[in-house]
Amino acid sequence: MSEEHTTEARILEAAKKVFITRGMAGARMQDIANEAGINKALLHYYFRSKEKLFETIFREIAQRFIPRMTAIFESDLTLFEKIEVFSSEYIDNVMKNPYIPLFVLNELNKQPDTFVKQVWGDKKPNIEKVVAQINEEVARGNIKPVHPLHLLMNLLAMCVFPFVAKPMLQGVTGLTNEQFTMLMEQRKKEVPRFIIESIKK
Amino acid sequence: MSEEHTTEARILEAAKKVFITRGMAGARMQDIANEAGINKALLHYYFRSKEKLFETIFREIAQRFIPRMTAIFESDLTLFEKIEVFSSEYIDNVMKNPYIPLFVLNELNKQPDTFVKQVWGDKKPNIEKVVAQINEEVARGNIKPVHPLHLLMNLLAMCVFPFVAKPMLQGVTGLTNEQFTMLMEQRKKEVPRFIIESIKK
DNA sequence: ACTTTTGTTAACCATTTGGTTAAACTAAAA
DNA sequence: TTTTAGTTTAACCAAATGGTTAACAAAAGT
């Protein structure tokens, strides 16, 4: 517990919480102020406007999540290793911040032009390496023929989707939170197993 | 083109459009009124409040999408057929209304207790039949051992995710809308192929 | 010591927003 | 032709909301 807790940090913390749970449109500056335990005017002292504050939060979140996920793709691991490591790391990561994916997807959909480019304007994720790697494995006859983009979409989809659909899944299955967590824990092995089983020869 | 176009219908049409694109929190009654080409007071004449109107829209949407998707699971098709039909039907369906899934997931997450139960309060989707079917196929040794819930999550994830992540995917890959559509068209065959390839013996 | 800068607050302001009211209009019934 | 019921509008209202101002406290220079 390092207790710096400067005012700006408290604001960012509060803003992150409120923005993530309520979204840009649903968040209220007053709520953020309350959550941070400060006056509302102080928000505008540190961050000129709601948009500025949101932008700060959004970029911080997006740039802490996306690079970590693409770093694995850019590494020197084998394809199967990448699939395994990605699933495990990513699901682990999201389990600690389950509301991030929907938040990002949502705001990205609502304001594509504003954010999409700014998110990875400088550090556009380089998936070409994995794509080449997949094509190569196919060419060598190590795995069955598969469109790289579909494969990557499948991987990402299977890791992320359960979290954004959690309320729906719980509505259908009646799963408790604990059961859901256990299911996601299993999933760290299940997803790569499922994928590899599908493409291996 | 049946041109009844009663005022109420125009309102519902406009509200659906605005709510889906902006979400409950982001939608403005005035926008809906403008979109419907009527006075704002008329909205309240037909639907007492914003919440009432939203509820109407949300339930209409959810109850037209979800039952259609579960009907396939409850049918008498073989497991492989179900996987194939579901993928094809569902992707087709979402291609015609690409913003629906994120809208539903989003509002379902923001107001779980309010909607989750009301959506399928009366017609809770019965996935037990497919679950039993999957277990049976495993027991008979027709497919490899697989946890039914994971399998169903995988199927749903692979069908839905690309649409909710479209801006992200386009940001990464630079895909045009036409290319994206083509990719989704392929996907109607690719998803079941991928899944069946994984579980078949 | 005092002056300048930085941090913080209460009170305030303008606009937006969901919602209401009363009056006007329309069309069909009496 | 007058009622009457439903439909539509302009004008209005109160609350909420993003943002500002002026005063004040606390550090930081000098």
Side-chain angles (χ1 to χ4, degrees):
Chain A
M1 290 282 173
S2 71
E3 276 298 322
E4 249 300 79
H5 245 38
T6 160
T7 304
E8 187 174 352
R10 283 227 311 283
I11 292 178
L12 286 170
E13 204 177 322
K16 196 195 289 190
K17 184 174 174 182
V18 175
F19 274 133
I20 287 174
T21 53
R22 305 251 237 280
M24 164 62 168
R28 295 291 101 101
M29 291 300 262
Q30 187 60 59
D31 295 342
I32 296 173
N34 291 343
E35 182 75 29
I38 57 162
N39 190 288
K40 190 182 56 154
L42 205 53
L43 285 183
H44 291 88
Y45 177 76
Y46 280 90
F47 304 88
R48 226 179 297 295
S49 68
K50 187 185 178 184
E51 276 187 16
K52 273 277 178 204
L53 179 55
F54 179 80
E55 214 176 294
T56 306
I57 298 292
F58 185 80
R59 220 179 306 178
E60 195 234 297
I61 289 175
Q63 289 194 344
R64 193 154 46 108
F65 260 70
I66 295 171
R68 198 183 302 183
M69 111 192 179
T70 53
I72 298 168
F73 289 154
E74 294 171 19
S75 73
D76 283 326
L77 297 171
T78 68
L79 179 60
F80 284 6
E81 283 169 347
K82 282 183 183 178
I83 292 170
E84 281 160 358
V85 173
F86 180 90
S87 302
S88 184
E89 297 267 293
Y90 197 67
I91 290 175
D92 240 350
N93 223 313
V94 178
M95 278 177 80
K96 288 173 199 149
N97 309 273
Y99 294 103
I100 297 286
L102 189 58
F103 169 72
V104 173
L105 290 176
N106 207 37
E107 301 300 336
L108 225 45
N109 265 276
K110 238 139 241 169
Q111 317 216 358
D113 26 313
T114 315
F115 292 116
V116 170
K117 300 190 175 181
Q118 223 161 16
V119 169
W120 35 54
D122 41 356
K123 214 171 189 175
K124 182 181 270 187
N126 180 17
I127 63 166
E128 284 176 37
K129 188 163 181 178
V130 227
V131 170
Q133 194 173 12
I134 294 169
N135 283 330
E136 205 176 325
E137 295 285 342
V138 171
R140 284 184 185 163
N142 293 338
I143 62 174
K144 297 176 196 161
V146 63
H147 190 311
L149 230 48
H150 282 299
L151 179 56
L152 292 176
M153 278 195 289
N154 292 348
L155 172 58
L156 192 57
M158 284 191 268
C159 289
V160 180
F161 187 76
F163 294 95
V164 308
K166 186 185 173 197
M168 193 181 72
L169 292 173
Q170 287 186 319
V172 176
T173 62
L175 250 54
T176 66
N177 285 333
E178 291 72 31
Q179 290 174 317
F180 179 82
T181 304
M182 278 172 50
L183 205 67
M184 292 306 109
E185 201 62 49
Q186 286 175 22
R187 219 166 156 73
K188 293 195 283 188
K189 297 278 184 188
E190 176 63 15
V191 168
R193 195 199 61 72
F194 190 86
I195 294 176
I196 291 171
E197 205 65 42
S198 178
I199 61 175
K200 79 160 186 224
K201 256 183 178 161
Chain B
M1 290 282 171
S2 71
E3 277 297 323
E4 250 300 80
H5 244 37
T6 159
T7 303
E8 186 173 351
R10 282 226 313 282
I11 292 179
L12 285 170
E13 204 177 322
K16 196 195 288 190
K17 183 174 175 183
V18 175
F19 275 134
I20 286 174
T21 53
R22 303 253 236 280
M24 164 62 169
R28 295 292 100 104
M29 291 300 262
Q30 186 60 59
D31 295 342
I32 296 174
N34 292 146
E35 183 74 30
I38 57 162
N39 190 286
K40 189 181 57 151
L42 206 52
L43 285 183
H44 291 88
Y45 176 76
Y46 280 91
F47 303 89
R48 225 178 295 295
S49 68
K50 187 185 179 184
E51 276 188 15
K52 273 276 177 204
L53 179 54
F54 179 81
E55 213 176 295
T56 305
I57 297 291
F58 185 81
R59 220 179 304 179
E60 195 235 295
I61 288 175
Q63 291 195 342
R64 193 155 44 108
F65 261 70
I66 295 171
R68 197 183 303 185
M69 113 196 177
T70 53
I72 297 168
F73 289 154
E74 294 170 20
S75 73
D76 284 327
L77 298 170
T78 68
L79 180 59
F80 285 5
E81 284 170 347
K82 282 183 184 179
I83 292 169
E84 282 161 358
V85 173
F86 180 91
S87 302
S88 184
E89 296 268 293
Y90 197 66
I91 290 175
D92 240 351
N93 224 313
V94 178
M95 279 177 80
K96 286 173 201 152
N97 310 272
Y99 294 103
I100 298 287
L102 189 59
F103 169 72
V104 172
L105 291 176
N106 207 39
E107 300 300 335
L108 225 46
N109 265 276
K110 237 138 242 168
Q111 317 214 0
D113 27 311
T114 315
F115 292 116
V116 171
K117 301 191 173 181
Q118 223 162 16
V119 170
W120 35 52
D122 41 355
K123 215 171 190 177
K124 183 181 269 188
N126 181 19
I127 63 165
E128 284 175 38
K129 188 163 181 178
V130 228
V131 170
Q133 195 174 10
I134 294 168
N135 284 330
E136 204 176 328
E137 295 286 341
V138 171
R140 283 184 186 163
N142 293 337
I143 62 174
K144 296 176 198 160
V146 63
H147 190 312
L149 230 47
H150 283 299
L151 179 57
L152 292 176
M153 278 194 289
N154 293 348
L155 172 59
L156 192 56
M158 286 191 267
C159 290
V160 179
F161 186 77
F163 294 95
V164 308
K166 186 185 173 197
M168 192 180 74
L169 292 172
Q170 287 186 318
V172 176
T173 62
L175 248 55
T176 67
N177 285 332
E178 289 72 31
Q179 290 173 316
F180 179 82
T181 303
M182 276 171 53
L183 205 67
M184 292 306 108
E185 200 62 48
Q186 286 175 21
R187 216 166 158 72
K188 292 194 283 186
K189 296 279 183 185
E190 176 63 15
V191 168
R193 196 198 61 72
F194 191 87
I195 294 176
I196 291 171
E197 205 65 40
S198 178
I199 61 175
K200 78 160 185 223
K201 260 189 173 155

